[in-house]
Amino acid sequence: MKIYKIHIAIIFFGLFQIVGMQDCNSQVANGETYLDSLKMDLEKKWPDNRTINLVFHGHSVPTGYTTGGVVDRINSYPFQTLKNINDYYPYSVVNVITTSIGGEQAEQGARRFKDEILRYKPDVLFIDYALNDRGIGLDTAKAAWKKMIEMALSKKLKVILLTPTPDLREDISNPDSNLAKHAEQIRDLAEHYEVGLIDSYQMFKELSMVKQLKAFMAQNNHINQKGHQLVADLIFSEYFKK
């Protein structure tokens, strides 16, 4: 199991900023080096730079759904990730492409993967389906994730898997909860395929020890702007910061 040491600084702006994550399992893609060649491209100035595509595939959370059907795209973690990267690499040209669909689970996402996702030729592909995968079960979800990962790796793409963000209807401290089991399965897949991992579930689990998770939720199963910022900051610090 991948274990993080997370240092949480409480800032008066009201957000918790995750400032350090260490002790990654060596068989999971090393966040410091996994995107080395891409980070070099992000530093290049015109006319030597190029357009870089980050594709986020999944369900309602990366799409930006909040509550009552309202969608806040610009504050979702894919676009907050774009802002973090743009601020850090001011000469970069980065597209964020969301192929996510609200209500979709991994089996459905795998069916349209070849035609609707690979056509964007992502430099980095993020997969986030676990919240909805509870409806299809661990075995079916695992087969779908494996299919997507293997198709991406056959095209020599960089892949980063995300464990789920919270659902307030489940006890995040319970290692036997449905979401916890899906999170563990995603960690195992990242280790098996030696791809990237963003362990959102572990981050929020540790955050819950010092803060009420409701402050980071738009509704039971959707994070709010603060929650999205935490995920985006984790993505940036783990894989894009030099």
Side-chain angles (χ1 to χ4, degrees):
M1 176 177 175
K2 185 173 179 180
I3 300 173
Y4 289 121
K5 294 178 181 177
I6 302 179
H7 308 285
I8 303 175
I10 304 175
I11 301 176
F12 277 114
F13 293 108
L15 289 178
F16 274 60
Q17 300 297 320
I18 306 302
V19 298
M21 286 197 161
Q22 301 172 349
D23 296 341
C24 297
N25 189 308
S26 61
Q27 290 181 292
V28 174
N30 188 322
E32 294 182 2
T33 60
Y34 189 52
L35 301 183
D36 271 358
S37 61
L38 187 66
K39 286 186 277 191
M40 291 176 63
D41 285 343
L42 288 166
E43 292 183 305
K44 292 178 180 177
K45 299 181 181 180
W46 181 89
D48 297 318
N49 58 358
R50 66 179 181 88
T51 300
I52 291 167
N53 289 335
L54 307 181
V55 174
F56 292 79
H57 191 46
H59 47 41
S60 54
V61 174
T63 308
Y65 280 89
T66 57
T67 188
V70 174
V71 182
D72 186 6
R73 298 274 289 159
I74 204 66
N75 288 308
S76 64
Y77 75 75
F79 289 94
Q80 293 291 354
T81 297
L82 174 61
K83 186 178 188 310
N84 285 344
I85 293 170
N86 186 74
D87 290 347
Y88 196 75
Y89 297 99
Y91 305 110
S92 64
V93 180
V94 179
N95 285 334
V96 158
I97 302 163
T98 55
T99 58
S100 50
I101 295 177
E104 188 171 78
Q105 31 81 348
E107 189 175 40
Q108 295 166 319
R111 289 194 196 112
R112 59 188 184 88
F113 193 84
K114 181 179 179 180
D115 294 332
E116 297 185 29
I117 287 76
L118 294 182
R119 67 176 180 172
Y120 291 111
K121 299 180 180 179
D123 292 278
V124 186
L125 171 68
F126 298 83
I127 302 177
D128 183 358
Y129 271 113
L131 275 174
N132 290 356
D133 283 347
R134 289 173 293 177
I136 59 175
L138 287 165
D139 291 342
T140 302
K142 183 177 183 179
W145 282 68
K146 289 177 68 174
K147 181 178 179 180
M148 291 186 284
I149 295 166
E150 289 171 5
M151 280 193 284
L153 293 180
S154 74
K155 300 294 184 182
K156 302 187 185 306
L157 305 181
K158 297 293 186 180
V159 179
I160 298 177
L161 311 182
L162 286 91
T163 60
T165 48
D167 186 327
L168 295 179
R169 294 166 295 190
E170 286 195 21
D171 180 3
I172 199 168
S173 68
N174 179 6
D176 295 320
S177 71
N178 209 346
L179 272 183
K181 291 176 181 178
H182 279 273
E184 187 62 26
Q185 180 165 274
I186 293 164
R187 295 182 193 111
D188 290 343
L189 287 168
E191 181 176 338
H192 176 76
Y193 287 101
E194 298 185 33
V195 297
L197 176 69
I198 291 296
D199 202 342
S200 304
Y201 196 77
Q202 180 67 20
M203 176 181 69
F204 281 104
K205 181 178 179 179
E206 297 201 16
L207 181 59
S208 72
M209 299 175 186
V210 293
K211 192 76 172 178
Q212 290 291 323
L213 288 185
K214 189 175 181 180
F216 301 89
M217 306 299 292
Q219 64 178 37
N220 284 334
N221 61 336
H222 290 159
I223 49 177
N224 62 18
Q225 182 177 344
K226 292 179 182 179
H228 278 282
Q229 188 66 63
L230 289 178
V231 177
D233 289 349
L234 183 56
I235 290 170
F236 176 75
S237 64
E238 282 288 281
Y239 287 97
F240 289 94
K241 189 174 182 180
K242 294 177 291 183

